[in-house]
Amino acid sequence: MKASKVDEKNFIWSLTLCHVLISLFAISLASCESFNYGQALSQSLIYFEAQRSGHLPYNQRVNWRHHSGLADGLDEEVDLVGGYYDAGDNVKFGLPMAFTITLLSWAAIEYGEQIAGAGEYGHAMEAIKWGTDYFIKAHTKPNVLWAEVGDGETDHYCWQRPEDMTTPRRAYKVDENNPGSDVAGETAAALAAASILFRKIDPHYSRLLLHHAQQLFEFGDKFKGKYDESIRVAKGYYTSVSGYKDELLWAAIWLYKATQKDEYLNYVLKNAYDFGGTTWAMTEFSWDVKYSGVQAIASMLLMEEKHKKHEVILKQYRSKAEHYFCACLNLNNETKANVDRSPGGLLYVRQWNNMQYVANAAFLLTVYSDHLLAANQTLHCQKGEVAPGELFAFAKSQVDYILGSNPMGMSYLVGYGPKFPQRVHHRGASIDSYKRNMGFIGCTQGYDNWYESPKPNPNILIGALVGGPDNNDKFSDERRNFEQLEACTYNTAALVGVFARLNNLE
Ligand SMILES: *[C@@H]1O[C@H](CO)[C@@H](O)[C@H](O)[C@H]1NC(C)=O
Ligand SMILES: *[C@@H]1O[C@H](CO)[C@@H](O)[C@H](O)[C@H]1NC(C)=O
């Protein structure tokens, strides 16, 4: 956030000039606004500090937060202190937390240099390690993973700062008798991806992560089942609609990237058809549905000479990856095979937290475009060949929409630019800071005095990406409007790499 004063001035000036030009010459918005992606990157990493659970470190930058959840796991005699709150409540949900860490790790693998160039590599690694440290604690035995602390039902009766929590903090696990291949698979993917990053800077930690990743993958593969059948309190909050087969392929492909061991690649090839990897054509990539991610990585493997011998199956994966990218670009023949767009040009998948799909698409498109470019290849869509630059330009258009190039003229990244959401649906941010007001704020007191207040949040949740506008680009900044005003860790996580890449345009 350094130098933000100057940047803000420039930003406002360029915006004003731009608007004059637009009204005079009807110049398109997107072509003349320029955004400070470096600042957006810095802000996005600050957000993860606001979502921290546990004992906060001395260098915590979000200073309206304080320690919380310090007895998590105590009743179950396991140390589950730490990790992240997923969104605006105080539950720790294992599945989206792991997906968040996979995305952050992938961003740092692809764009580590660009993140470092912006001076943010340390913060990115801290954000990742806050998750991986927790997963190590939560994986107490080869076949036991603690995958939720607290529950949505009782948590949602209360509007309380995490520091004041009085809600039940029961911990829930998956094990041999209560399997959870999706949460085990996603956690394995997160740890495998993170192990790649730590290999150079902390080889011991990297090996530890990999060890846990391998065990979790074996556990998920051997004892198959959906985690929300074992942890039923997750249903309705993070129901695993797509099942666990996508996460098992996802875990295997990340383990292959981390180890280069054929056994993992063979798993991805052998199960390609049965697990839906080469049959599901998707239009979303999300905490629930990883197929497009697997398909994109498989296509990138195909770009390497050494994988040519597997080209029959890898090409089947690629055709499904292409379906996803072409759907985002509106280049599949059938309208219903494409992703809808708002009149303002935003990808629109569904009403509740639509921005997660936008951010995830922007990230996959960016990564894929760079790999196509490096391999001197194009994307094949039913409506024609697409050069890598077009994928990237579209990803940029989505990010620019997020940062302010949209009909509401506001940024959906909190704290960025002159106009952004003021009433994020977030317990901690919407209640007076614990630092300023240490008095206990009760469950319903929070609802009466803070949730219901029409005033802006007292604390700015910098770097949060909210659910965003509806399919007509309309947005109503009200705290109770959780579909548009709640932010999630996996929304912002997907933007980190894209901001870094955009900040380094040649
Ligand atoms: C898509 O439409 C184009 C032009 O109408 C046509 O040439 C092509 O065969 C179609 N492709 C598929 C897979 O339907
Ligand atoms: C890239 O591909 C094009 C067309 O397929 C070809 O003409 C060109 O020589 C290739 N360039 C490199 C550097 O391989």
Side-chain angles (χ1 to χ4, degrees):
M1 291 249 300
K2 284 173 217 111
S4 64
K5 275 282 162 289
V6 179
D7 296 338
E8 233 165 68
K9 247 196 216 150
N10 288 341
F11 174 78
I12 291 167
W13 167 239
S14 66
L15 200 68
T16 319
L17 180 67
C18 225
H19 285 157
V20 172
L21 290 173
I22 289 163
S23 45
L24 287 179
F25 308 111
I27 290 174
S28 91
L29 257 175
S31 67
C32 76
E33 256 175 289
S34 77
F35 294 100
N36 185 337
Y37 303 110
Q39 186 185 30
L41 171 64
S42 303
Q43 293 186 326
S44 68
L45 289 165
I46 288 175
Y47 167 64
F48 294 95
E49 297 191 16
Q51 295 302 112
R52 283 174 171 173
S53 181
H55 196 276
L56 303 185
Y58 71 96
N59 59 354
Q60 167 82 11
R61 292 178 294 167
V62 177
N63 54 23
W64 49 266
R65 282 292 326 282
H66 206 62
H67 310 317
S68 64
L70 296 181
D72 283 0
L74 198 64
D75 289 346
E76 292 80 11
E77 296 181 347
V78 42
D79 174 7
L80 293 174
V81 176
Y84 288 108
Y85 303 117
D86 69 303
D89 55 21
N90 302 330
V91 184
K92 295 196 292 203
F93 290 104
L95 182 60
M97 199 196 303
F99 182 58
T100 299
I101 300 305
T102 312
L103 286 175
L104 282 174
S105 302
W106 195 2
I109 290 167
E110 298 286 341
Y111 303 113
E113 262 176 49
Q114 290 89 336
I115 294 171
E120 291 293 341
Y121 198 73
H123 291 138
M125 292 305 284
E126 277 174 30
I128 292 164
K129 193 163 184 291
W130 196 265
T132 53
D133 282 350
Y134 178 78
F135 298 140
I136 290 172
K137 287 185 181 184
H139 184 213
T140 48
K141 290 185 188 148
N143 296 343
V144 175
L145 175 66
W146 294 86
E148 183 171 330
V149 180
D151 67 276
E153 185 92 2
T154 59
D155 188 276
H156 289 198
Y157 278 120
C158 286
W159 193 262
Q160 264 181 315
R161 303 178 292 202
E163 292 82 3
D164 286 332
M165 261 188 298
T166 50
T167 46
R169 297 300 285 173
R170 191 178 151 190
Y172 301 85
K173 66 177 174 180
V174 290
D175 59 24
E176 294 175 13
N177 300 317
N178 309 281
S181 306
D182 24 29
V183 73
E186 186 61 58
T187 311
L191 294 171
S195 80
I196 297 173
L197 294 165
F198 282 100
R199 204 177 288 150
K200 273 208 188 109
I201 52 179
D202 190 346
H204 170 75
Y205 190 68
S206 170
R207 279 194 298 276
L208 183 68
L209 296 179
L210 198 51
H211 177 68
H212 282 279
Q214 289 171 319
Q215 279 188 344
L216 279 166
F217 172 66
E218 273 172 42
F219 164 50
D221 181 50
K222 200 163 166 196
F223 302 94
K224 289 197 179 75
K226 260 156 57 81
Y227 92 108
D228 56 2
E229 292 299 328
S230 300
I231 302 179
R232 299 188 69 89
V233 288
K235 266 195 203 300
Y237 299 92
Y238 285 103
T239 314
S240 180
V241 179
S242 75
Y244 55 76
K245 290 176 180 166
D246 52 338
E247 277 89 4
L248 287 177
L249 294 171
W250 181 237
I253 211 159
W254 274 109
L255 277 162
Y256 178 64
K257 280 171 76 79
T259 62
Q260 297 294 314
K261 281 189 182 159
D262 283 340
E263 59 180 287
Y264 297 116
L265 180 60
N266 289 338
Y267 187 96
V268 175
L269 299 169
K270 187 175 64 131
N271 294 301
Y273 183 83
D274 289 343
F275 284 14
T278 51
T279 57
W280 278 107
M282 306 307 307
T283 51
E284 75 170 75
F285 174 53
S286 66
W287 60 263
D288 181 24
V289 193
K290 315 316 169 359
Y291 283 115
S292 340
V294 177
Q295 291 155 354
I297 295 178
S299 316
M300 297 187 294
L301 294 180
L302 183 59
M303 294 174 194
E304 296 171 34
E305 195 55 43
K306 67 174 176 180
H307 296 120
K308 284 283 184 289
K309 57 179 180 271
H310 304 300
E311 73 175 355
V312 175
I313 294 173
L314 291 179
K315 275 184 175 165
Q316 292 168 6
Y317 271 112
R318 187 177 65 186
S319 90
K320 297 300 187 243
E322 289 180 332
H323 179 277
Y324 173 78
F325 291 119
C326 301
C328 293
L329 295 165
N330 211 11
L331 292 175
N332 286 321
N333 273 1
E334 281 184 64
T335 310
K336 67 172 171 24
N338 290 321
V339 182
D340 285 343
R341 290 188 196 180
S342 71
L346 185 70
L347 289 174
Y348 188 81
V349 175
R350 57 182 77 84
Q351 197 174 336
W352 186 357
N353 189 14
N354 183 60
M355 277 305 188
Q356 65 178 312
Y357 309 108
V358 178
N360 288 340
F363 179 59
L364 268 195
L365 282 157
T366 301
V367 170
Y368 202 64
S369 77
D370 280 336
H371 282 259
L372 283 175
L373 192 64
N376 191 29
Q377 290 181 11
T378 54
L379 171 71
H380 314 282
C381 293
Q382 292 172 347
K383 289 190 184 168
E385 295 292 301
V386 187
E390 290 180 56
L391 278 80
F392 185 54
F394 182 69
K396 180 177 184 296
S397 76
Q398 299 300 293
V399 172
D400 289 352
Y401 183 110
I402 287 171
L403 293 181
S405 184
N406 60 63
M408 297 292 289
M410 70 189 294
S411 161
Y412 293 103
L413 189 78
V414 177
Y416 184 90
K419 187 179 170 199
F420 54 82
Q422 299 295 313
R423 294 165 192 82
V424 183
H425 182 95
H426 188 278
R427 284 159 178 72
S430 68
I431 301 177
D432 214 0
S433 156
Y434 187 77
K435 287 263 165 70
R436 262 183 31 185
N437 178 355
M438 283 198 162
F440 174 77
I441 295 172
C443 193
T444 52
Q445 195 186 353
Y447 270 113
D448 295 344
N449 299 349
W450 301 97
Y451 179 79
E452 301 288 353
S453 162
K455 289 191 201 145
N457 286 354
N459 310 304
I460 300 177
L461 191 61
I462 291 174
L465 174 62
V466 298
D470 67 15
N471 57 347
N472 276 311
D473 304 298
K474 293 280 187 298
F475 180 78
S476 144
D477 190 357
E478 294 166 58
R479 200 169 291 118
R480 61 173 61 252
N481 181 6
F482 62 88
E483 292 186 341
Q484 297 192 326
L485 264 297
E486 193 161 18
C488 298
T489 53
Y490 41 89
N491 294 19
T492 295
L495 292 180
V496 168
V498 191
F499 286 148
R501 178 67 178 82
L502 285 165
N503 191 40
N504 272 262
L505 289 176
E506 290 95 349

